[in-house]
Short mmCIF file of all heavy atoms in Angstrom, two decimals:
data_model
loop_
_atom_site.label_atom_id
_atom_site.label_comp_id
_atom_site.label_asym_id
_atom_site.label_seq_id
_atom_site.Cartn_x
_atom_site.Cartn_y
_atom_site.Cartn_z
N GLN A 62 58.96 -12.68 51.53
CA GLN A 62 59.09 -11.94 52.76
C GLN A 62 60.27 -12.41 53.59
O GLN A 62 60.80 -11.65 54.45
CB GLN A 62 57.81 -11.92 53.57
CG GLN A 62 56.67 -11.20 52.94
CD GLN A 62 55.31 -11.45 53.65
OE1 GLN A 62 55.25 -12.29 54.50
NE2 GLN A 62 54.33 -10.66 53.24
N SER A 63 60.64 -13.65 53.46
CA SER A 63 61.75 -14.21 54.27
C SER A 63 63.11 -14.15 53.51
O SER A 63 64.04 -14.80 53.97
CB SER A 63 61.36 -15.67 54.59
OG SER A 63 60.23 -15.72 55.41
N GLY A 64 63.18 -13.46 52.39
CA GLY A 64 64.45 -13.30 51.73
C GLY A 64 64.76 -14.40 50.70
O GLY A 64 65.94 -14.64 50.37
N TRP A 65 63.73 -15.09 50.23
CA TRP A 65 63.92 -16.11 49.22
C TRP A 65 63.37 -15.62 47.86
O TRP A 65 62.37 -14.88 47.84
CB TRP A 65 63.15 -17.37 49.59
CG TRP A 65 63.72 -18.02 50.78
CD1 TRP A 65 63.40 -17.85 52.08
CD2 TRP A 65 64.76 -19.05 50.78
NE1 TRP A 65 64.14 -18.67 52.90
CE2 TRP A 65 65.01 -19.41 52.13
CE3 TRP A 65 65.48 -19.66 49.78
CZ2 TRP A 65 65.95 -20.37 52.50
CZ3 TRP A 65 66.45 -20.63 50.15
CH2 TRP A 65 66.64 -20.94 51.47
N THR A 66 64.01 -16.02 46.77
CA THR A 66 63.38 -15.86 45.47
C THR A 66 62.82 -17.24 45.15
O THR A 66 63.42 -18.25 45.45
CB THR A 66 64.41 -15.42 44.41
OG1 THR A 66 65.43 -16.41 44.30
CG2 THR A 66 64.99 -14.07 44.74
N ALA A 67 61.65 -17.27 44.57
CA ALA A 67 60.97 -18.50 44.33
C ALA A 67 60.25 -18.45 42.98
O ALA A 67 59.62 -17.45 42.67
CB ALA A 67 59.98 -18.84 45.40
N GLU A 68 60.38 -19.48 42.21
CA GLU A 68 59.74 -19.55 40.93
C GLU A 68 59.00 -20.87 40.77
O GLU A 68 59.61 -21.94 40.86
CB GLU A 68 60.77 -19.46 39.78
CG GLU A 68 60.13 -19.47 38.38
CD GLU A 68 61.22 -19.36 37.29
OE1 GLU A 68 62.20 -18.66 37.54
OE2 GLU A 68 61.02 -20.01 36.27
N ALA A 69 57.65 -20.82 40.66
CA ALA A 69 56.85 -21.97 40.49
C ALA A 69 56.63 -22.24 39.03
O ALA A 69 56.35 -21.31 38.26
CB ALA A 69 55.53 -21.79 41.24
N ASN A 70 56.84 -23.49 38.64
CA ASN A 70 56.70 -23.88 37.24
C ASN A 70 56.50 -25.38 37.12
O ASN A 70 57.29 -26.10 37.67
CB ASN A 70 57.96 -23.44 36.43
CG ASN A 70 57.80 -23.62 34.95
OD1 ASN A 70 56.72 -24.02 34.50
ND2 ASN A 70 58.82 -23.33 34.20
N GLY A 71 55.42 -25.78 36.48
CA GLY A 71 55.23 -27.18 36.24
C GLY A 71 55.02 -27.99 37.53
O GLY A 71 55.39 -29.16 37.61
N GLY A 72 54.39 -27.45 38.55
CA GLY A 72 54.12 -28.16 39.76
C GLY A 72 55.27 -28.10 40.76
O GLY A 72 55.13 -28.62 41.87
N LEU A 73 56.44 -27.60 40.36
CA LEU A 73 57.57 -27.46 41.24
C LEU A 73 57.83 -25.99 41.53
O LEU A 73 57.54 -25.13 40.72
CB LEU A 73 58.81 -28.11 40.65
CG LEU A 73 58.83 -29.61 40.49
CD1 LEU A 73 60.08 -30.09 39.77
CD2 LEU A 73 58.62 -30.34 41.84
N CYS A 74 58.50 -25.77 42.67
CA CYS A 74 58.94 -24.43 42.97
C CYS A 74 60.42 -24.50 43.30
O CYS A 74 60.86 -25.30 44.12
CB CYS A 74 58.18 -23.90 44.20
SG CYS A 74 58.71 -22.22 44.65
N ARG A 75 61.22 -23.69 42.54
CA ARG A 75 62.66 -23.61 42.82
C ARG A 75 62.90 -22.38 43.68
O ARG A 75 62.40 -21.29 43.37
CB ARG A 75 63.42 -23.55 41.52
CG ARG A 75 63.40 -24.90 40.82
CD ARG A 75 64.34 -24.99 39.66
NE ARG A 75 64.60 -26.36 39.28
CZ ARG A 75 63.72 -27.15 38.72
NH1 ARG A 75 62.51 -26.75 38.45
NH2 ARG A 75 64.05 -28.43 38.44
N MET A 76 63.68 -22.56 44.75
CA MET A 76 63.91 -21.48 45.70
C MET A 76 65.35 -21.23 45.89
O MET A 76 66.20 -22.14 46.06
CB MET A 76 63.27 -21.94 47.05
CG MET A 76 61.78 -22.14 46.96
SD MET A 76 61.09 -23.22 48.24
CE MET A 76 61.76 -24.78 47.78
N ASP A 77 65.72 -19.96 45.86
CA ASP A 77 67.08 -19.48 46.04
C ASP A 77 67.09 -18.39 47.07
O ASP A 77 66.04 -17.75 47.35
CB ASP A 77 67.54 -18.80 44.70
CG ASP A 77 68.58 -19.61 43.98
OD1 ASP A 77 69.28 -20.44 44.57
OD2 ASP A 77 68.71 -19.39 42.74
N PHE A 78 68.26 -18.10 47.59
CA PHE A 78 68.45 -16.91 48.38
C PHE A 78 68.26 -15.72 47.50
O PHE A 78 68.60 -15.78 46.32
CB PHE A 78 69.83 -16.83 48.97
CG PHE A 78 70.15 -17.80 50.08
CD1 PHE A 78 71.44 -18.25 50.26
CD2 PHE A 78 69.18 -18.23 50.99
CE1 PHE A 78 71.79 -19.11 51.32
CE2 PHE A 78 69.51 -19.10 52.03
CZ PHE A 78 70.79 -19.54 52.17
N SER A 79 67.77 -14.59 48.00
CA SER A 79 67.84 -13.34 47.27
C SER A 79 69.29 -12.90 47.14
O SER A 79 70.13 -13.42 47.92
CB SER A 79 67.02 -12.25 48.01
OG SER A 79 67.69 -11.98 49.23
N PRO A 80 69.64 -11.99 46.22
CA PRO A 80 71.03 -11.56 46.11
C PRO A 80 71.58 -11.06 47.47
O PRO A 80 72.73 -11.40 47.85
CB PRO A 80 70.99 -10.48 45.09
CG PRO A 80 69.85 -10.87 44.20
CD PRO A 80 68.82 -11.44 45.14
N ALA A 81 70.81 -10.26 48.21
CA ALA A 81 71.23 -9.80 49.50
C ALA A 81 71.46 -10.91 50.48
O ALA A 81 72.43 -10.94 51.28
CB ALA A 81 70.26 -8.77 50.03
N ARG A 82 70.62 -11.94 50.40
CA ARG A 82 70.71 -13.04 51.35
C ARG A 82 71.91 -13.90 50.97
O ARG A 82 72.60 -14.45 51.88
CB ARG A 82 69.45 -13.89 51.27
CG ARG A 82 69.39 -15.01 52.22
CD ARG A 82 68.28 -14.89 53.21
NE ARG A 82 68.37 -15.91 54.16
CZ ARG A 82 67.37 -16.78 54.45
NH1 ARG A 82 66.23 -16.70 53.84
NH2 ARG A 82 67.56 -17.74 55.33
N PHE A 83 72.25 -14.06 49.66
CA PHE A 83 73.46 -14.78 49.31
C PHE A 83 74.70 -14.07 49.92
O PHE A 83 75.50 -14.71 50.58
CB PHE A 83 73.68 -14.79 47.80
CG PHE A 83 73.15 -16.04 47.09
CD1 PHE A 83 72.09 -15.95 46.26
CD2 PHE A 83 73.79 -17.23 47.24
CE1 PHE A 83 71.63 -17.09 45.57
CE2 PHE A 83 73.33 -18.38 46.57
CZ PHE A 83 72.26 -18.33 45.76
N ARG A 84 74.75 -12.75 49.82
CA ARG A 84 75.87 -11.99 50.38
C ARG A 84 75.95 -12.10 51.87
O ARG A 84 76.99 -12.29 52.46
CB ARG A 84 75.77 -10.54 49.93
CG ARG A 84 76.13 -10.36 48.46
CD ARG A 84 76.12 -8.85 48.10
NE ARG A 84 76.35 -8.74 46.66
CZ ARG A 84 75.41 -8.88 45.77
NH1 ARG A 84 74.17 -9.06 46.10
NH2 ARG A 84 75.71 -8.77 44.45
N ALA A 85 74.79 -12.05 52.52
CA ALA A 85 74.73 -12.13 53.96
C ALA A 85 75.20 -13.51 54.40
O ALA A 85 75.92 -13.71 55.44
CB ALA A 85 73.33 -11.85 54.51
N PHE A 86 74.79 -14.56 53.67
CA PHE A 86 75.20 -15.91 54.00
C PHE A 86 76.72 -16.04 53.91
O PHE A 86 77.37 -16.54 54.89
CB PHE A 86 74.57 -16.96 53.09
CG PHE A 86 74.93 -18.37 53.45
CD1 PHE A 86 74.24 -19.09 54.42
CD2 PHE A 86 76.03 -18.98 52.84
CE1 PHE A 86 74.63 -20.38 54.74
CE2 PHE A 86 76.40 -20.27 53.18
CZ PHE A 86 75.69 -20.99 54.15
N PHE A 87 77.32 -15.60 52.84
CA PHE A 87 78.78 -15.70 52.69
C PHE A 87 79.47 -14.87 53.79
O PHE A 87 80.48 -15.29 54.36
CB PHE A 87 79.22 -15.29 51.31
CG PHE A 87 78.91 -16.30 50.27
CD1 PHE A 87 78.02 -15.95 49.24
CD2 PHE A 87 79.41 -17.54 50.29
CE1 PHE A 87 77.70 -16.92 48.25
CE2 PHE A 87 79.09 -18.50 49.33
CZ PHE A 87 78.21 -18.19 48.33
N ALA A 88 78.96 -13.68 54.12
CA ALA A 88 79.54 -12.85 55.14
C ALA A 88 79.45 -13.50 56.53
O ALA A 88 80.27 -13.22 57.36
CB ALA A 88 78.86 -11.46 55.16
N SER A 89 78.42 -14.34 56.73
CA SER A 89 78.27 -14.96 58.03
C SER A 89 79.18 -16.20 58.27
O SER A 89 79.32 -16.64 59.40
CB SER A 89 76.81 -15.47 58.19
OG SER A 89 76.60 -16.64 57.45
N LEU A 90 79.82 -16.64 57.25
CA LEU A 90 80.78 -17.75 57.38
C LEU A 90 81.93 -17.38 58.23
O LEU A 90 82.42 -16.27 58.08
CB LEU A 90 81.19 -18.30 56.01
CG LEU A 90 80.10 -18.92 55.16
CD1 LEU A 90 80.64 -19.28 53.78
CD2 LEU A 90 79.49 -20.13 55.83
N PRO A 91 82.44 -18.25 59.09
CA PRO A 91 83.53 -17.93 59.93
C PRO A 91 84.80 -17.58 59.05
O PRO A 91 85.08 -18.25 58.11
CB PRO A 91 83.80 -19.17 60.76
CG PRO A 91 82.85 -20.18 60.35
CD PRO A 91 81.97 -19.61 59.29
N ARG A 92 85.45 -16.52 59.43
CA ARG A 92 86.71 -16.13 58.75
C ARG A 92 87.85 -16.81 59.44
O ARG A 92 88.01 -16.66 60.62
CB ARG A 92 86.87 -14.60 58.69
CG ARG A 92 85.78 -13.88 58.02
CD ARG A 92 85.80 -14.10 56.56
NE ARG A 92 84.75 -13.30 55.89
CZ ARG A 92 84.02 -13.79 54.92
NH1 ARG A 92 84.23 -14.99 54.45
NH2 ARG A 92 83.11 -13.06 54.37
N ARG A 93 88.67 -17.45 58.69
CA ARG A 93 89.85 -18.06 59.30
C ARG A 93 91.04 -17.77 58.38
O ARG A 93 90.85 -17.57 57.16
CB ARG A 93 89.73 -19.56 59.47
CG ARG A 93 89.29 -20.29 58.25
CD ARG A 93 88.81 -21.72 58.58
NE ARG A 93 88.39 -22.36 57.38
CZ ARG A 93 87.15 -22.28 56.87
NH1 ARG A 93 86.23 -21.53 57.46
NH2 ARG A 93 86.80 -22.89 55.74
N LYS A 94 92.21 -17.62 58.93
CA LYS A 94 93.40 -17.37 58.15
C LYS A 94 93.72 -18.57 57.32
O LYS A 94 93.82 -19.69 57.84
CB LYS A 94 94.59 -17.04 59.09
CG LYS A 94 95.78 -16.60 58.33
CD LYS A 94 96.87 -16.20 59.23
CE LYS A 94 98.07 -15.79 58.38
NZ LYS A 94 99.19 -15.36 59.19
N PRO A 95 93.74 -18.41 55.99
CA PRO A 95 94.03 -19.55 55.13
C PRO A 95 95.45 -20.08 55.29
O PRO A 95 96.41 -19.31 55.48
CB PRO A 95 93.76 -19.06 53.70
CG PRO A 95 93.99 -17.59 53.81
CD PRO A 95 93.60 -17.22 55.22
N GLY A 96 95.57 -21.36 55.20
CA GLY A 96 96.93 -21.96 55.18
C GLY A 96 97.45 -21.86 53.79
O GLY A 96 96.83 -21.25 52.90
N PRO A 97 98.58 -22.50 53.53
CA PRO A 97 99.10 -22.49 52.16
C PRO A 97 98.15 -23.21 51.23
O PRO A 97 97.46 -24.18 51.55
CB PRO A 97 100.41 -23.28 52.25
CG PRO A 97 100.33 -24.04 53.48
CD PRO A 97 99.36 -23.34 54.41
N GLY A 98 98.02 -22.72 50.02
CA GLY A 98 97.13 -23.33 49.03
C GLY A 98 96.26 -22.32 48.32
O GLY A 98 96.54 -21.07 48.36
N LEU A 99 95.21 -22.83 47.69
CA LEU A 99 94.37 -21.97 46.83
C LEU A 99 93.70 -20.81 47.62
O LEU A 99 93.66 -19.69 47.07
CB LEU A 99 93.33 -22.82 46.13
CG LEU A 99 92.44 -22.12 45.14
CD1 LEU A 99 93.29 -21.45 44.04
CD2 LEU A 99 91.44 -23.10 44.53
N ALA A 100 93.22 -21.07 48.77
CA ALA A 100 92.53 -20.02 49.56
C ALA A 100 93.43 -18.82 49.79
O ALA A 100 93.03 -17.65 49.71
CB ALA A 100 91.98 -20.56 50.84
N ALA A 101 94.71 -19.15 50.10
CA ALA A 101 95.70 -18.06 50.37
C ALA A 101 95.95 -17.27 49.10
O ALA A 101 96.20 -16.05 49.15
CB ALA A 101 97.00 -18.62 50.90
N ILE A 102 95.88 -17.91 47.98
CA ILE A 102 96.09 -17.23 46.69
C ILE A 102 94.86 -16.38 46.32
O ILE A 102 94.96 -15.29 45.80
CB ILE A 102 96.37 -18.23 45.55
CG1 ILE A 102 97.73 -18.95 45.85
CG2 ILE A 102 96.43 -17.57 44.15
CD1 ILE A 102 97.96 -20.19 44.99
N LEU A 103 93.66 -16.90 46.61
CA LEU A 103 92.44 -16.22 46.29
C LEU A 103 92.22 -14.95 47.11
O LEU A 103 91.75 -13.93 46.56
CB LEU A 103 91.22 -17.12 46.48
CG LEU A 103 91.08 -18.31 45.59
CD1 LEU A 103 89.99 -19.26 46.12
CD2 LEU A 103 90.77 -17.88 44.16
N LEU A 104 92.56 -14.99 48.37
CA LEU A 104 92.18 -13.92 49.28
C LEU A 104 92.67 -12.51 48.86
O LEU A 104 91.89 -11.59 48.88
CB LEU A 104 92.68 -14.26 50.70
CG LEU A 104 91.97 -13.58 51.82
CD1 LEU A 104 90.46 -13.74 51.75
CD2 LEU A 104 92.48 -14.10 53.16
N PRO A 105 93.91 -12.36 48.45
CA PRO A 105 94.38 -11.00 48.07
C PRO A 105 93.68 -10.46 46.80
O PRO A 105 93.64 -9.28 46.54
CB PRO A 105 95.86 -11.15 47.77
CG PRO A 105 96.23 -12.48 48.31
CD PRO A 105 95.01 -13.27 48.44
N HIS A 106 93.02 -11.36 46.07
CA HIS A 106 92.36 -10.94 44.82
C HIS A 106 90.84 -10.88 44.95
O HIS A 106 90.14 -10.71 43.95
CB HIS A 106 92.74 -11.92 43.70
CG HIS A 106 94.19 -12.03 43.43
ND1 HIS A 106 94.94 -11.03 42.85
CD2 HIS A 106 95.11 -13.01 43.78
CE1 HIS A 106 96.20 -11.38 42.75
NE2 HIS A 106 96.36 -12.57 43.33
N ALA A 107 90.38 -11.07 46.17
CA ALA A 107 88.88 -11.16 46.42
C ALA A 107 88.23 -9.77 46.19
O ALA A 107 88.82 -8.74 46.49
CB ALA A 107 88.62 -11.68 47.81
N ARG A 108 87.03 -9.83 45.66
CA ARG A 108 86.26 -8.63 45.45
C ARG A 108 84.79 -9.00 45.70
O ARG A 108 84.43 -10.17 45.81
CB ARG A 108 86.42 -8.10 44.00
CG ARG A 108 85.93 -9.10 42.97
CD ARG A 108 85.78 -8.51 41.61
NE ARG A 108 85.56 -9.52 40.58
CZ ARG A 108 84.36 -10.16 40.44
NH1 ARG A 108 83.31 -9.80 41.18
NH2 ARG A 108 84.21 -11.07 39.51
N GLU A 109 83.90 -8.04 45.81
CA GLU A 109 82.51 -8.22 45.98
C GLU A 109 81.92 -8.86 44.73
O GLU A 109 82.22 -8.42 43.60
CB GLU A 109 81.82 -6.86 46.25
CG GLU A 109 80.34 -6.93 46.48
CD GLU A 109 80.00 -7.44 47.86
OE1 GLU A 109 80.75 -7.29 48.79
OE2 GLU A 109 78.89 -7.96 48.02
N ALA A 110 81.10 -9.89 44.90
CA ALA A 110 80.46 -10.51 43.75
C ALA A 110 79.32 -9.63 43.25
O ALA A 110 78.67 -8.94 44.03
CB ALA A 110 79.94 -11.85 44.16
N SER A 111 79.09 -9.68 41.96
CA SER A 111 78.01 -8.87 41.39
C SER A 111 76.77 -9.76 41.18
O SER A 111 76.87 -11.01 41.25
CB SER A 111 78.44 -8.32 39.99
OG SER A 111 78.71 -9.36 39.11
N ASP A 112 75.62 -9.14 41.00
CA ASP A 112 74.35 -9.89 40.83
C ASP A 112 74.43 -10.85 39.64
O ASP A 112 73.73 -11.87 39.67
CB ASP A 112 73.17 -8.93 40.68
CG ASP A 112 72.78 -8.30 42.01
OD1 ASP A 112 73.40 -8.66 43.05
OD2 ASP A 112 71.88 -7.43 42.02
N ASP A 113 75.15 -10.48 38.63
CA ASP A 113 75.25 -11.38 37.45
C ASP A 113 76.00 -12.65 37.75
O ASP A 113 76.03 -13.59 36.91
CB ASP A 113 75.73 -10.70 36.19
CG ASP A 113 77.20 -10.21 36.29
OD1 ASP A 113 77.62 -9.84 37.42
OD2 ASP A 113 77.89 -10.24 35.24
N GLU A 114 76.67 -12.70 38.92
CA GLU A 114 77.40 -13.92 39.33
C GLU A 114 76.60 -14.85 40.22
O GLU A 114 77.13 -15.78 40.80
CB GLU A 114 78.68 -13.51 39.97
CG GLU A 114 79.66 -12.84 39.01
CD GLU A 114 80.90 -12.28 39.65
OE1 GLU A 114 80.75 -11.47 40.59
OE2 GLU A 114 82.00 -12.62 39.19
N LEU A 115 75.27 -14.61 40.35
CA LEU A 115 74.46 -15.43 41.17
C LEU A 115 74.50 -16.91 40.82
O LEU A 115 74.62 -17.76 41.71
CB LEU A 115 72.98 -14.96 41.20
CG LEU A 115 72.75 -13.65 41.96
CD1 LEU A 115 71.27 -13.23 41.77
CD2 LEU A 115 73.06 -13.84 43.44
N PRO A 116 74.51 -17.26 39.51
CA PRO A 116 74.67 -18.73 39.22
C PRO A 116 75.94 -19.28 39.74
O PRO A 116 75.92 -20.44 40.23
CB PRO A 116 74.60 -18.74 37.67
CG PRO A 116 73.83 -17.52 37.31
CD PRO A 116 74.23 -16.49 38.30
N SER A 117 77.02 -18.53 39.67
CA SER A 117 78.32 -19.05 40.24
C SER A 117 78.26 -19.14 41.72
O SER A 117 78.80 -20.09 42.29
CB SER A 117 79.48 -18.13 39.80
OG SER A 117 79.64 -18.11 38.44
N MET A 118 77.58 -18.15 42.41
CA MET A 118 77.41 -18.27 43.83
C MET A 118 76.66 -19.48 44.24
O MET A 118 77.02 -20.23 45.16
CB MET A 118 76.64 -17.05 44.34
CG MET A 118 77.40 -15.78 44.47
SD MET A 118 76.33 -14.53 45.28
CE MET A 118 76.78 -13.09 44.37
N ARG A 119 75.57 -19.74 43.53
CA ARG A 119 74.75 -20.93 43.81
C ARG A 119 75.55 -22.19 43.60
O ARG A 119 75.53 -23.09 44.43
CB ARG A 119 73.53 -20.95 42.90
CG ARG A 119 72.63 -22.15 43.13
CD ARG A 119 71.48 -22.29 42.12
NE ARG A 119 70.83 -21.04 41.88
CZ ARG A 119 70.84 -20.44 40.71
NH1 ARG A 119 71.52 -20.94 39.66
NH2 ARG A 119 70.21 -19.30 40.49
N ARG A 120 76.26 -22.30 42.48
CA ARG A 120 76.98 -23.52 42.18
C ARG A 120 78.05 -23.74 43.25
O ARG A 120 78.23 -24.83 43.77
CB ARG A 120 77.66 -23.43 40.79
CG ARG A 120 78.50 -24.64 40.50
CD ARG A 120 78.65 -24.88 38.99
NE ARG A 120 79.65 -25.95 38.74
CZ ARG A 120 79.46 -27.22 38.97
NH1 ARG A 120 78.32 -27.67 39.45
NH2 ARG A 120 80.43 -28.13 38.67
N ALA A 121 78.82 -22.71 43.61
CA ALA A 121 79.86 -22.81 44.63
C ALA A 121 79.23 -23.24 46.02
O ALA A 121 79.76 -24.10 46.71
CB ALA A 121 80.60 -21.51 44.80
N LEU A 122 78.10 -22.65 46.32
CA LEU A 122 77.45 -22.98 47.59
C LEU A 122 76.98 -24.40 47.58
O LEU A 122 77.13 -25.11 48.63
CB LEU A 122 76.28 -22.00 47.81
CG LEU A 122 75.70 -21.95 49.21
CD1 LEU A 122 76.75 -21.82 50.32
CD2 LEU A 122 74.68 -20.83 49.32
N LEU A 123 76.40 -24.87 46.48
CA LEU A 123 75.97 -26.27 46.40
C LEU A 123 77.13 -27.23 46.48
O LEU A 123 77.03 -28.30 47.09
CB LEU A 123 75.10 -26.48 45.15
CG LEU A 123 73.72 -25.83 45.18
CD1 LEU A 123 73.09 -25.91 43.77
CD2 LEU A 123 72.85 -26.49 46.20
#
Side-chain angles (χ1 to χ4, degrees):
Q62 291 170 350
S63 298
W65 292 91
T66 60
E68 181 181 324
N70 188 3
L73 293 177
C74 181
R75 287 191 162 71
M76 298 158 291
D77 251 337
F78 288 150
S79 67
R82 184 120 185 235
F83 265 112
R84 286 185 186 82
F86 181 86
F87 288 117
S89 75
L90 294 174
R92 300 288 183 222
R93 54 194 176 275
K94 185 175 180 179
L99 184 58
I102 296 168
L103 292 170
L104 204 53
H106 303 286
R108 62 166 171 78
E109 181 77 25
S111 63
D112 284 356
D113 65 326
E114 293 173 306
L115 287 174
S117 296
M118 282 187 219
R119 179 187 317 114
R120 177 156 172 72
L122 193 51
L123 288 170

